[in-house]
Amino acid sequence: MELMIFAGAALVKIAMVMIVVLLTVAFLTLAERKVLSWMQDRMGPMEVGPYGILQPIADGLKLFFKEDIIPSGANWLLFSLAPILSVVPALIGFAVIPYGPNQEMEIFGVTIKPFVITDINIGILYILAFASIGAYGIILGGWASNNKYSLLGGLRAAAQVISYELNIGLAIIGVIILSGSLSMVKIAEGQAGGFWHWYLFGGLQIVGFVVYVISAVAETNRLPFDLAEAESELVAGWMTEYSGMRFAFFFMAEYANMILVSCIAAVLFLGGYQSPFPHYIIEYLGFPGMKWVEAVVWFTVKVYFFLFLFFWIRATLPRLRYDQLMRFGWKVLLPLALANVLITSIVVYFVRQP
Amino acid sequence: MSGTEHLLYYLSDYFPILVFIAVAFAFGAGTLILSHFVQPKLPDAEKLSVYECGSEPFSDARMPFPVRYYIIAMLFVIFDIEILFLYPWAVAFDKIGMIGMAEMVIFIALFVVGYIYAWKKGALEWD
């Protein structure tokens, strides 16, 4: 019986998270088009529903009913597997993200911890490990298509993703030294008590934060680092031969990855669900029991700040050249991140000395 | 708690992740299969040929590609393993004191030597 409740609670939490993430992905495509349009003094999608708000649903339905073309020279199995291989790692990273305080609540007579699916003690390592698997989806898709543009796009994407993964791995070590734990829940809990306790400000992880954000943009293949699908040279990169629902999966993976890296940035550097003030505002107003509502709102605000940053960067910066991209990753960001690890460890060591 | 119980208790944290992987796979495969039943299937030779900007496709795409990608992949494996060694050190940072600190400075120094070697050899160049 206890096992049934445990499994049932896990399933309900997973279903909730997947629904929220997929809905966010859908409406993020609309948000991106709207934000880009407003930045370029256009209206953006306006036809489907009021102010184009139903556009993602129309897009989704259209892609669902479109023909899945498998080109004649393609490897059928890998061609079909690649979109799933890229969307699954992007979704399951959300299993360890704390969306709110890690407290027990009683819902319908069952006591669960509603704001994190599972708190494993190697949370951030788990996310990094599965993020690497996402690169397989891209390179397999590129190779299986038997198209020259796809192959070049897949190779570029793989080299880019693994190069910037190093920088992400190094950039977050500073945070781990400060928190002493790899668990996302513990990292978020360690930043309570106002914005000057967040690791970005309190831990002086500014270099780590900047390296992380730049690498995260590159890792998700977003502009100005979207060399893998550079429209002007590679048609659509590794997605050239994909159509219908398989194409939609690559698209979903890209946006889900954006949300995931934004969540990680919010948890590691901006305190996750923690309020920027010493207490939650709702506590000052006299409703301490409703603290979790505000915590979830703070988390959402921080994640959307990063998502907006993604759009803003896309509207502002032109695309890099491939040699510039690789040189920047290996010769600028990597030494910076390494220096950040060394300096953080030495400073933390001497500050914590009694 | 006995050893087995302890292990089970520990693994119970990972059970939701297994479920999540299964659900995500089911979502992916299920959507593809459902879509397979409702979509039109009107293939013809032109539609199934690979896209090469409208011209007739020539030669196979699976040809040799620049060796630089291999070099980047090898450098990634080496550096990524070195970075992974920093993780347990960072977690245990408060407990290992001066000796742990000094050891890691030496380790990072070795890391930097390899990095400078790769840089001087031109492995990081891309032209």
Side-chain angles (χ1 to χ4, degrees):
Chain A
M1 190 59 202
E2 220 171 83
L3 197 71
M4 290 283 285
I5 291 174
F6 178 69
L11 257 178
V12 170
K13 281 195 281 187
I14 288 165
M16 289 293 289
V17 167
M18 269 193 58
I19 290 168
V20 170
V21 168
L22 290 175
L23 277 179
T24 314
V25 164
F27 285 93
L28 209 56
T29 60
L30 176 70
E32 171 162 41
R33 291 165 75 178
K34 279 289 186 188
V35 168
L36 280 179
S37 302
W38 290 330
M39 283 181 177
Q40 296 161 352
D41 205 11
R42 296 185 283 123
M43 298 293 278
M46 291 292 281
E47 294 295 328
V48 193
Y51 295 95
I53 202 143
L54 297 176
Q55 185 71 41
I57 297 172
D59 287 345
L61 281 176
K62 190 190 90 172
L63 285 167
F64 189 74
F65 288 106
K66 284 283 174 184
E67 185 175 357
D68 265 341
I69 300 168
I70 300 180
S72 47
N75 182 319
W76 179 85
L77 183 66
L78 292 181
F79 190 81
S80 309
L81 200 63
I84 300 179
L85 254 187
S86 88
V87 84
V88 168
L91 287 178
I92 59 179
F94 289 96
V96 294
I97 304 276
Y99 309 95
N102 191 32
Q103 65 194 34
E104 289 192 331
M105 285 170 83
E106 202 174 302
I107 299 168
F108 300 125
V110 183
T111 310
I112 55 167
K113 291 179 174 175
F115 297 118
V116 61
I117 290 180
T118 178
D119 172 24
I120 57 174
N121 54 7
I122 53 160
I124 185 68
L125 202 60
Y126 159 83
I127 293 180
L128 285 180
F130 273 108
S132 316
I133 293 181
Y136 279 99
I138 294 174
I139 195 162
L140 282 180
W143 184 82
S145 302
N146 200 14
N147 178 320
K148 292 167 191 99
Y149 297 117
S150 303
L151 181 73
L152 284 174
L155 284 174
R156 278 188 181 188
Q160 175 183 338
V161 166
I162 61 178
S163 298
Y164 280 83
E165 220 172 76
L166 283 182
N167 303 328
I168 286 188
L170 268 177
I172 61 180
I173 287 177
V175 171
I176 298 167
I177 292 174
L178 287 164
S179 69
S181 173
L182 293 171
S183 149
M184 297 294 273
V185 172
K186 291 235 171 59
I187 290 172
E189 277 169 357
Q191 302 177 68
F195 68 86
W196 53 92
H197 288 284
W198 295 353
Y199 290 142
L200 172 59
F201 305 114
L204 286 176
Q205 286 302 305
I206 295 150
V207 175
F209 177 69
V210 171
V211 172
Y212 176 83
V213 171
I214 296 174
S215 305
V217 176
E219 172 98 356
T220 47
N221 288 314
R222 297 287 301 173
L223 272 152
F225 300 107
D226 71 334
L227 275 295
E229 47 174 304
E231 298 94 342
S232 49
E233 30 189 306
L234 287 183
V235 189
W238 81 92
M239 297 191 283
T240 305
E241 291 294 348
Y242 280 92
S243 62
M245 214 51 217
R246 296 199 178 97
F247 172 79
F249 274 179
F250 276 128
F251 223 74
M252 273 187 322
E254 182 178 331
Y255 282 83
N257 267 324
M258 269 167 67
I259 304 171
L260 185 62
V261 293
S262 302
C263 287
I264 301 169
V267 171
L268 292 186
F269 295 100
L270 296 187
Y273 55 83
Q274 306 284 0
S275 158
F277 312 109
H279 298 282
Y280 291 96
I281 297 171
I282 216 156
E283 281 182 306
Y284 292 122
L285 296 177
F287 303 100
M290 300 299 282
K291 202 168 74 171
W292 58 271
V293 179
E294 201 192 330
V296 174
V297 170
W298 281 122
F299 183 76
T300 316
V301 167
K302 286 166 190 172
V303 171
Y304 274 84
F305 164 74
F306 283 106
L307 291 173
F308 179 73
L309 196 69
F310 270 101
F311 304 154
W312 193 4
I313 291 173
R314 173 172 178 176
T316 308
L317 296 173
R319 185 182 296 131
L320 273 76
R321 257 192 355 250
Y322 200 69
D323 60 323
Q324 291 171 329
L325 170 93
M326 294 310 259
R327 195 187 311 132
F328 185 62
W330 283 94
K331 293 189 173 176
V332 179
L333 291 184
L334 191 67
L336 265 180
L338 203 58
N340 179 51
V341 170
L342 263 183
I343 292 168
T344 305
S345 63
I346 291 168
V347 170
V348 169
Y349 182 77
F350 284 109
V351 167
R352 287 191 187 161
Q353 280 295 332
Chain B
M1 265 194 282
S2 72
T4 324
E5 272 176 359
H6 201 266
L7 183 70
L8 277 178
Y9 179 75
Y10 181 72
L11 286 180
S12 71
D13 278 349
Y14 290 83
F15 174 72
I17 287 178
L18 265 182
V19 178
F20 203 163
I21 293 175
V23 170
F25 256 106
F27 164 73
T31 316
L32 277 188
I33 292 168
L34 271 183
S35 160
H36 185 77
F37 286 118
V38 295
Q39 63 187 237
K41 280 175 214 65
L42 305 161
D44 62 61
E46 291 291 316
K47 194 194 267 180
L48 294 185
S49 69
V50 294
Y51 178 74
E52 261 174 43
C53 295
S55 64
E56 287 284 316
F58 63 95
S59 80
D60 198 69
R62 280 147 198 173
M63 47 186 157
F65 49 83
V67 72
R68 303 210 166 274
Y69 291 107
Y70 287 111
I71 297 175
I72 289 291
M74 283 193 297
L75 285 176
F76 164 73
V77 171
I78 297 164
F79 285 147
D80 207 32
I81 291 172
E82 292 192 324
I83 288 170
L84 270 183
F85 279 121
L86 293 173
Y87 276 81
W89 165 75
V91 172
F93 188 75
D94 281 342
K95 295 165 197 135
I96 51 183
M98 195 65 201
I99 295 171
M101 183 76 213
E103 276 177 347
M104 200 40 76
V105 170
I106 295 168
F107 182 78
I108 291 177
L110 292 175
F111 180 105
V112 171
V113 169
Y115 178 68
I116 292 171
Y117 177 76
W119 187 322
K120 290 286 171 208
K121 273 284 181 188
L124 308 181
E125 299 299 327
W126 200 284
D127 47 19

